[in-house]
Amino acid sequence: MQVKGQTWTYEKKPVILGASSIVGPEEGEGPLAEDFDFIYDNIEINEKTWEKGERRLLEDAARKALEHASIKEEDLQFYVGGDLMNQIISSSFAARKMGVPYIGVFGACSTSMESLAVASMMIDSGAAQYAMAGTASHNCTVEKQFRYPTEYGSQKPPYAQYTITGAGCSVVSAQGDGPHVTHATIGKVIDLGVKDPFNMGTAMAPAAADTITAHMRDTGRSPGYYDLIVTGDLAAVGLPIAKELLKKEGIAMEETNFMDCGLMIYDRDRQKYVLSGGSGCGCSAVVTYGHILKRMKRGELHKVLVVATGALLSPLSYQQGESIPCIAHAVSLEMGG
Amino acid sequence: MQVKGQTWTYEKKPVILGASSIVGPEEGEGPLAEDFDFIYDNIEINEKTWEKGERRLLEDAARKALEHASIKEEDLQFYVGGDLMNQIISSSFAARKMGVPYIGVFGACSTSMESLAVASMMIDSGAAQYAMAGTASHNCTVEKQFRYPTEYGSQKPPYAQYTITGAGCSVVSAQGDGPHVTHATIGKVIDLGVKDPFNMGTAMAPAAADTITAHMRDTGRSPGYYDLIVTGDLAAVGLPIAKELLKKEGIAMEETNFMDCGLMIYDRDRQKYVLSGGSGCGCSAVVTYGHILKRMKRGELHKVLVVATGALLSPLSYQQGESIPCIAHAVSLEMGG
């Protein structure tokens, strides 16, 4: 591997040998439904608690990714994963079931690309032949943990986001066919003082802009290099802010398609439910591993930069009057050699 | 890097260029007091909340590790860290202050060696010239989050452990003097069904034994290769169980000194306070980065295996009737080339 600034270049160009996306009923009604491997028809995910449901999504996704990668369970060497639950229990309990050496990570909703960046480092460095990255979120587990009791049904402001129910995993390897992981830009914690925990888009936009700026600087690229640059998840409020901040940095985002996973996953006419758009660890994971990789394999996209954003607050840090520290990790995906 | 089974061999043998250990007043009264860089005389760590105190310990430790490594703040490229707080806020807020690209990790009390293993992979793979690993814990933040309101002063059974207040960081690099990181064995999640969240030693001992067994199998070593094998933290209850389990696996722990960080950090005559011994992310960090590295530099120890253990439960997983999934990550440290 090589490093320049915040950006790693993977010299072996690890391949995403197989990936998976399993979602809940609401995500299954959205425009990307056909790209998901399985859609549960109930928000309980056939389990007795939402937390067990979230874990089941992740276990399903892990199994499906192995199947798509056409490798045996015993050939998987490491699992790198995390989620939004306190003490990342969804990932740790899924890792218990998988029975492979496990690196738990946490980057809130940036976990999707943090885990892929670390798993790809294992492949590139020779630390693994096969490694899995994965994450999950569930609307009700997150509402309950971060906001109000779910049954309370409290109203949220229109700039709030809606945590998606879903899990995505990928198996990376040094050899094989599939999109390659070519670079990762590891984010710094950026905090411009936003304190409203419903306003994640505004809080996270500067982190996304900072990481995209670093990626372009470190690689000498401009946005036009990519067919698509996608954040996850700034939604309707954060994406225009990120565009504006990047414009001030002289980064010409108009050269490319600049989209957001939280805006892609739901029909926009469902806005009264999903407010400014989707969020949660699972959102950028299922959009990337479901939708984007399939478009890459169909030849519709060749070069994509996925910029997963995370808000690193806890209910306690908010209660103690702290602002919201945010981060974004970017991973560059390319088809072909 | 090379991988065999669960074990990485670092071919460049990353050097721990500098390390630090900052502790609270109770740890400062223990037998290792002289080895710590700074001892706070108040459990509040000069802050208004315990959480801010925990973060301050980590920020102090990060600064001190850079100082000991004799590198400038701007030369540090990545920080790998985590802690026990929900959403690892101590690490994320410390990373905000440090302003470097940040990989958040979580392995409960195994975070100390998980972060060192990942930071060392960055060095070995060329992903960084300088990377920091770090973690922290605070007795009162953990009591409050995982058990009862701290002011309630509830009694605990004698087999419970006492979370230490302290933080430890290390700066790893490809070049320089100091102990080398030669191998890491990444643990699997092991869960033999223990459900009592006070009985962490019993829950974690099988994970420690599993990782030590994997390490010996993967490296072809026997315990006698090491001057010291130290777990963190099984304490008085878990250590004998791990010994017994290893005996059944045919691993001759009597060949070496087999100790536990949780037993080393406090005077044993303080048992009525610390029960079966210390625990917490900070425990194995300050014992390793404070005490053990200093003994290595003085020539008293040449080869040490640190086996950090973590209980990956959350209060919620316990409330939902789940048993305790545990993990242990081992890192091998050697003086000289």
Side-chain angles (χ1 to χ4, degrees):
Chain A
M1 289 180 66
Q2 293 200 327
V3 61
K4 187 172 177 193
Q6 301 172 224
T7 302
W8 294 333
T9 303
Y10 298 105
E11 289 169 318
K12 289 188 196 161
K13 296 190 170 67
V15 172
I16 299 183
L17 214 52
S20 62
S21 52
I22 313 280
V23 299
E26 291 175 302
E27 294 69 27
E29 286 171 13
L32 309 184
E34 281 188 11
D35 290 335
F36 300 134
D37 294 317
F38 188 80
I39 298 166
Y40 275 91
D41 65 4
N42 62 95
I43 190 71
E44 293 79 16
I45 316 293
N46 298 353
E47 294 283 353
K48 283 188 180 171
T49 71
W50 294 319
E51 290 78 14
K52 288 182 205 286
E54 179 173 315
R55 185 200 314 174
R56 185 182 179 131
L57 287 166
L58 190 50
E59 290 169 354
D60 286 356
R63 209 169 27 243
K64 188 59 85 177
L66 284 176
E67 197 184 304
H68 286 170
S70 302
I71 70 162
K72 282 177 279 183
E73 222 168 290
E74 58 266 32
D75 289 337
L76 183 67
Q77 290 165 295
F78 298 97
Y79 169 61
V80 184
D83 53 83
L84 286 164
M85 290 293 90
N86 295 342
Q87 290 73 56
I88 59 168
I89 46 169
S90 303
S91 299
S92 298
F93 280 84
R96 179 177 72 178
K97 192 156 196 174
M98 294 163 68
V100 291
Y102 164 53
I103 295 280
V105 293
F106 179 79
C109 307
S110 72
T111 301
S112 60
M113 292 302 117
E114 179 185 348
S115 56
L116 182 57
V118 172
S120 300
M121 172 163 57
M122 288 184 186
I123 301 302
D124 211 58
S125 65
Q129 281 86 45
Y130 299 104
M132 183 184 282
T135 189
S137 58
H138 188 295
N139 181 274
C140 301
T141 64
V142 161
E143 284 301 313
K144 172 182 161 186
Q145 178 180 283
F146 285 95
R147 296 177 188 114
Y148 296 101
T150 321
E151 296 80 354
Y152 184 57
S154 72
Q155 284 199 313
K156 296 201 282 188
Y159 52 80
Q161 292 174 231
Y162 191 86
T163 305
I164 80 115
T165 300
C169 289
S170 61
V171 175
V172 278
S173 171
Q175 278 145 0
D177 286 331
H180 296 266
V181 181
T182 66
H183 300 78
T185 301
I186 304 301
K188 296 179 182 179
V189 176
I190 305 289
D191 182 345
L192 297 192
V194 174
K195 288 192 174 190
D196 176 357
F198 285 115
N199 199 351
M200 293 298 188
T202 304
M204 295 191 295
D210 191 75
T211 295
I212 292 170
T213 305
H215 180 81
M216 299 305 165
R217 182 195 63 216
D218 295 342
T219 58
R221 293 177 177 172
S222 70
Y225 180 86
Y226 292 100
D227 303 318
L228 173 68
I229 296 179
V230 68
T231 49
D233 310 286
L234 300 178
V237 172
L239 190 64
I241 298 175
K243 265 185 196 157
E244 194 59 34
L245 291 169
L246 285 161
K247 197 175 176 182
K248 284 188 187 162
E249 292 292 328
I251 311 282
M253 297 308 286
E254 65 278 7
E255 286 177 4
T256 186
N257 291 305
F258 186 31
M259 277 297 292
D260 182 78
C261 297
L263 288 173
M264 294 160 76
I265 196 164
Y266 295 119
D267 279 320
R268 295 303 295 149
D269 59 9
R270 277 175 59 83
Q271 193 155 356
K272 69 176 168 175
Y273 299 108
V274 302
L275 306 160
S276 76
S279 67
C281 285
C283 187
S284 54
V286 301
V287 173
T288 303
Y289 295 145
H291 179 64
I292 293 173
L293 289 194
K294 282 177 187 158
R295 288 195 65 193
M296 292 184 83
K297 285 184 183 171
R298 287 198 299 262
E300 295 166 22
L301 295 169
H302 298 282
K303 295 167 182 174
V304 178
L305 186 68
V306 182
V307 188
T309 57
L312 305 172
L313 83 169
S314 81
L316 189 74
S317 68
Y318 163 70
Q319 287 155 8
Q320 294 189 357
E322 295 285 355
S323 54
I324 304 173
C326 295
I327 199 162
H329 301 300
V331 172
S332 169
L333 304 173
E334 290 195 20
M335 277 309 287
Chain B
M1 288 181 66
Q2 293 201 329
V3 61
K4 187 171 179 196
Q6 301 171 225
T7 302
W8 295 332
T9 303
Y10 299 104
E11 288 168 320
K12 288 189 199 160
K13 295 190 171 68
V15 172
I16 300 183
L17 214 53
S20 62
S21 52
I22 311 282
V23 299
E26 290 175 302
E27 294 69 27
E29 287 172 12
L32 309 184
E34 283 187 9
D35 290 334
F36 300 134
D37 294 318
F38 188 79
I39 298 166
Y40 275 91
D41 65 4
N42 63 94
I43 190 70
E44 293 79 16
I45 317 294
N46 297 353
E47 293 284 353
K48 283 189 181 170
T49 71
W50 293 319
E51 290 77 14
K52 289 183 204 286
E54 179 173 315
R55 184 200 314 176
R56 184 179 180 135
L57 287 166
L58 191 49
E59 290 169 354
D60 286 356
R63 207 166 34 241
K64 188 58 85 176
L66 285 176
E67 196 185 304
H68 286 170
S70 302
I71 70 163
K72 281 178 279 182
E73 224 168 288
E74 57 266 34
D75 290 336
L76 183 68
Q77 290 165 294
F78 298 97
Y79 169 59
V80 184
D83 53 82
L84 286 164
M85 290 294 90
N86 295 343
Q87 290 74 54
I88 59 168
I89 46 170
S90 303
S91 298
S92 298
F93 280 85
R96 179 177 74 179
K97 191 156 198 173
M98 292 163 69
V100 291
Y102 164 52
I103 294 280
V105 294
F106 178 78
C109 307
S110 72
T111 301
S112 60
M113 291 302 117
E114 180 185 347
S115 56
L116 181 58
V118 172
S120 299
M121 174 164 56
M122 288 183 184
I123 300 303
D124 211 58
S125 65
Q129 280 86 46
Y130 299 105
M132 183 184 283
T135 189
S137 57
H138 188 294
N139 181 275
C140 301
T141 65
V142 162
E143 283 302 313
K144 171 182 161 186
Q145 178 179 283
F146 285 96
R147 297 179 188 111
Y148 297 99
T150 322
E151 296 82 353
Y152 183 58
S154 73
Q155 283 199 313
K156 295 201 284 187
Y159 52 81
Q161 292 174 230
Y162 191 87
T163 304
I164 79 114
T165 300
C169 288
S170 61
V171 175
V172 278
S173 171
Q175 277 146 359
D177 287 330
H180 295 266
V181 181
T182 66
H183 299 78
T185 301
I186 304 302
K188 297 179 180 178
V189 176
I190 305 288
D191 182 346
L192 297 191
V194 173
K195 289 192 174 190
D196 177 356
F198 286 115
N199 199 352
M200 294 295 190
T202 304
M204 296 191 294
D210 191 74
T211 296
I212 293 170
T213 303
H215 181 81
M216 299 304 163
R217 181 195 63 216
D218 295 342
T219 58
R221 292 176 178 173
S222 70
Y225 180 85
Y226 292 101
D227 302 319
L228 172 68
I229 296 179
V230 68
T231 50
D233 310 284
L234 301 178
V237 173
L239 189 64
I241 298 174
K243 265 185 197 159
E244 194 58 35
L245 291 169
L246 286 160
K247 198 174 174 183
K248 284 187 186 163
E249 292 292 327
I251 311 283
M253 297 308 286
E254 65 278 6
E255 287 177 4
T256 185
N257 291 304
F258 186 31
M259 277 299 291
D260 182 79
C261 297
L263 288 172
M264 293 160 76
I265 196 164
Y266 295 119
D267 279 321
R268 296 304 294 153
D269 60 9
R270 277 175 58 85
Q271 191 154 359
K272 67 176 170 176
Y273 300 106
V274 302
L275 305 160
S276 76
S279 68
C281 285
C283 187
S284 54
V286 301
V287 172
T288 302
Y289 296 144
H291 179 64
I292 293 173
L293 288 194
K294 282 179 188 158
R295 288 195 64 195
M296 293 183 84
K297 286 185 183 170
R298 286 197 300 263
E300 295 166 21
L301 295 170
H302 299 281
K303 296 167 179 172
V304 177
L305 186 69
V306 182
V307 188
T309 57
L312 305 172
L313 82 168
S314 81
L316 190 73
S317 68
Y318 164 71
Q319 286 154 10
Q320 293 190 357
E322 295 285 354
S323 54
I324 303 172
C326 296
I327 199 162
H329 301 299
V331 171
S332 168
L333 304 172
E334 291 196 18
M335 278 307 287

